[in-house]
Each structure stands twice: as C-alpha cells, then as structure tokens.
Amino acid sequence: MSVNQTFVTSVLGVGTELTDGQIINRNAGWISQKTKTLGLRTGHHLSVPDDRNLIRQGLDYLEKKSEFIFVTGGLGPTTDDFTRELIAEWAEVPLVLSDEVWNFVQERLSSRGYPVQDFQKQQCYFPEGAILLPNPIGTAYGFRLKVRSKDCIVLPGPPREIEAIWNSSLLSWLESLQLSPWLTLSWDTMGLGESQVATLVEPIIEKFRVDIPQIKFEIGYRVHLPYVEFKIMLSSQDQTILSPLITEIEKNLHAITVLRDGIDIVDQFWNLLSEKHPEFVIEDQVSQSFLEERLHKGFKNLGKFKKWEFCNHIPVENSATHLWLRPINECEVTIGISGNKSEQINIKTPMISAEMSERRRQYFSELALIHWCRFLKGV
C-alpha cells in the first residue's frame, strides 16, 4: 500500500444492547483511537441491533464508504449471534467449520468445568478464505476477510477480548501495511471562549491553506469546561511542511495554553503527589465538589499513601502536605501548598457574571490542580 494514501475505516457495532441504550458502544471509540495512530481515519461509527436485514444493510452501506470495516459483536454460540452468517452471505462465500477452533473451544470449556454442547459449535464456523484471529481470553475467535478489495475485520463484542485479539494478532498485521500515521496536536486553553480562540488561529490557517492548498489537514474545537481545546490533525508525512503553521499556532495560543496534546492534569497531580508526599490534606472551600469529582479517578491509588484527608475547612495542625483552595471573594481565590515548602498564589477569574458561578467553580478547581502541580514540581 502507498504511504501517501489516506485509508478510511468504519466500525459496525452489532447488538440490540447498543441500539437500546443498555450499553454505550465504547468499542468503536477504542478501535478508532488505535487505528488512527496507524494511519487509518474513521469515517463512520454505525450500531445496529441483532437484526439480519439491518446488519446486512449496514455492511452494504459501509462497503461503499470504507477500505477497512471493523465489525464487533455477534460471534458467540447463542441464537442471536449470526454475524458470521451475514458476513459470509455478504462476501458470497460459504461458511466452513474449523476443526482447530472446535477442538480449542472444547478444551477451553472442559478445562474450566463447563459442559461442551453441540450448539457451541456454531462459533467455530467461518467464511471460506477467512484468516482466523485467536482469542487469548475467550472462546469466540475473530477473523479477517478480503471482500471485493475491502478488508473486513470481525471481532467479538467484549472489550477485553477485542483488546486481547488486537494485541496478539491484529496490531502486527496493521503495522505491516506501513500506512502513514495521523497525528493530533492539541492545545487546552483557558480564559477565552471558543469563538475567541478561533480568532487567534483561523486567519493563519486560512492563509496557509491558500498558500499551500495541496497539503490536507483537519482542525477542530472541543469545549470541556473550563477548557477550550483546539486541535490540528495531520498525516505524519506532512509534519515538516506544516511545522511553520504549527509554530504560528503555538505562538498565538501560548498565553492561554495550559496543557498540550491530551495530557490530563489529574494524572500529573496524582503522580507528583505520590512521588514525595505520603501524607496529604486537600482543603477545598470553593469548588463545591467539582475538585473532588475531577480527582475521583485517582482515588483507587489512595492505598499508596500513609494518610490522607479531603475537607472543606482549614484542618487542624499536622505534618501532612497541605494543599488548599480558599475564597477571597466570589471572583478571586488563593491556591496554596504547605509542608516542606510553602507557596501560594491569588487568582482572579474573568467570569464575573452572577450567572457564571458554576463555571467559576470549575475554573478555580482546574487552576488549583494546575498550580498544585507547579508547586509540587518545585518541592
């Protein structure tokens, strides 16, 4: 394959549990993230119920739109698992029993104390010509099949099984195609609205597109309060040509940029805290739970610490590292740390309207994390 060509992929999720809203199709996002780094751009996420006609319609539609089609779900042994049948019908090839897989299924079930029943043989049939993808942690093999010049990759539904098959079989194959990876460069900014951020970057982007129209790239904005993210997506082979544009974007956004390229300040905070501060107290008199919610994903690591406390008041004197967020007035706070070293800073928000009180609390909680990280790096 030529590294100069952009290949489009699509993800078809099969399962009534997806279309009924019982679960969210996280598989589609995971596959898209993985394939993007390898040079595939996702054009479609499509979910269909366990309905033969709709699955077939989905395959027909995506065949016209994609070079690579990932299908997830419907590979198990029960009566609502008929993805393999429809793939074979769509590819116009017969289903063929794999004795190798049937032996594997029987052995795995027996070793785990489950009875082997004939209906479980259903998951051992594959379209003729398919390349099998062993499942290291389940009984449902995946497979890939060339269908009228399109690559169709069919995987079971459980996310852990998809990841296991990806790592054991798919990644090496996709890497061997030597596609040109897509890069995403991003700037998380604070202090300006989305339209104001756009005014800082759109003029230089427009000029670049006029001057060098043959270079293709994409831009995007995402508001995830209190940040406005700007991102540019480009092929790695064009990074050198686009470097002057990237430099200009960096220059124009520098004053309001807080984080770069998808870094989450929460991860950085927990890592810094765990390095040198086995005992800590976080005092939050401002955010009204926003800060605690942001920190929540790190709570599973609290076992690393000897002693910790979250409170909304000035704690009693102790030897723990003390991080605080306190109000000065509605639009100004003090953020500080004390322990082996003490530092603090007063911060005002540009969001002074009474209607923006909730956004102010988000803003201050995020700034607390940012400045605590800065303080912790200096301790």
Side-chain angles (χ1 to χ4, degrees), residues 125-142:
Y125 284 86
F126 300 91
E128 188 177 64
I131 296 173
L132 304 188
L133 305 174
N135 187 337
I137 62 174
T139 57
Y141 270 45

Side-chain angles (χ1 to χ4, degrees), residues 72-323:
T72 64
L75 294 183
T78 56
T79 56
D80 60 346
D81 292 316
F82 38 72
T83 295
R84 67 186 72 251
E85 297 175 34
L86 291 167
I87 296 290
E89 177 187 299
W90 170 63
E92 300 178 334
V93 296
L95 282 172
V96 179
L97 174 67
S98 169
D99 292 326
E100 173 192 342
V101 177
W102 178 228
N103 290 335
F104 163 80
V105 169
Q106 293 178 85
E107 181 181 343
R108 172 155 288 189
L109 290 172
S110 298
S111 67
R112 296 180 178 182
Y114 293 106
V116 177
Q117 302 181 61
D118 282 342
F119 73 84
Q120 289 159 332
K121 189 179 287 188
Q122 172 182 309
Q123 59 189 322
C124 304
Y125 284 86
F126 300 91
E128 188 177 64
I131 296 173
L132 304 188
L133 305 174
N135 187 337
I137 62 174
T139 57
Y141 270 45
F143 61 90
R144 58 184 175 90
L145 182 68
K146 202 78 169 180
V147 182
R148 295 179 288 277
S149 81
K150 307 301 174 75
D151 283 289
C152 182
I153 302 96
V154 186
L155 301 167
R160 288 182 63 250
E161 296 185 23
I162 289 177
E163 184 173 0
I165 293 173
W166 178 277
N167 291 332
S168 64
S169 302
L170 274 179
L171 179 58
S172 58
W173 170 64
L174 287 167
E175 287 177 336
S176 73
L177 301 180
Q178 296 185 323
L179 305 174
S180 181
W182 275 75
L183 307 176
T184 298
L185 308 178
S186 66
W187 292 257
D188 272 325
T189 70
M190 285 179 66
L192 296 180
E194 185 178 10
S195 60
Q196 293 169 299
V197 172
T199 63
L200 295 176
V201 294
E202 296 282 357
I204 55 176
I205 289 170
E206 184 60 32
K207 182 178 184 304
F208 189 90
R209 281 180 165 153
V210 170
D211 292 343
I212 314 180
Q214 69 274 21
I215 302 300
K216 304 301 181 184
F217 59 91
E218 300 174 18
I219 65 169
Y221 301 85
R222 180 171 71 99
V223 178
H224 57 119
L225 295 175
Y227 298 108
V228 174
E229 178 194 54
F230 170 77
K231 58 187 174 182
I232 180 169
M233 294 148 282
L234 61 145
S235 173
S236 59
Q237 65 187 5
D238 295 329
Q239 190 170 11
T240 300
I241 299 173
L242 288 169
S243 61
L245 173 63
I246 294 166
T247 299
E248 283 296 306
I249 291 171
E250 175 69 30
K251 178 181 175 182
N252 283 19
L253 295 180
H254 177 73
I256 58 172
T257 296
V258 177
L259 300 167
R260 283 294 314 272
D261 299 331
I263 292 175
D264 189 340
I265 197 68
V266 170
D267 294 332
Q268 192 176 109
F269 172 76
W270 282 117
N271 289 337
L272 288 167
L273 197 63
S274 64
E275 284 175 6
K276 300 179 182 178
H277 305 273
E279 300 181 4
F280 71 88
V281 175
I282 294 179
E283 171 199 339
D284 173 18
Q285 298 192 45
V286 174
S287 80
Q288 297 182 17
S289 80
F290 278 116
L291 183 55
E292 189 172 355
E293 288 174 7
R294 279 288 279 135
L295 290 169
H296 185 267
K297 71 175 183 177
F299 287 0
K300 63 180 182 290
N301 297 317
L302 287 175
K304 297 178 181 178
F305 299 93
K306 293 181 181 178
K307 179 181 176 182
W308 53 270
E309 181 184 354
F310 294 88
C311 60
N312 59 2
H313 56 270
I314 298 176
V316 296
E317 197 68 34
N318 59 62
S319 60
T321 299
H322 178 198
L323 306 111

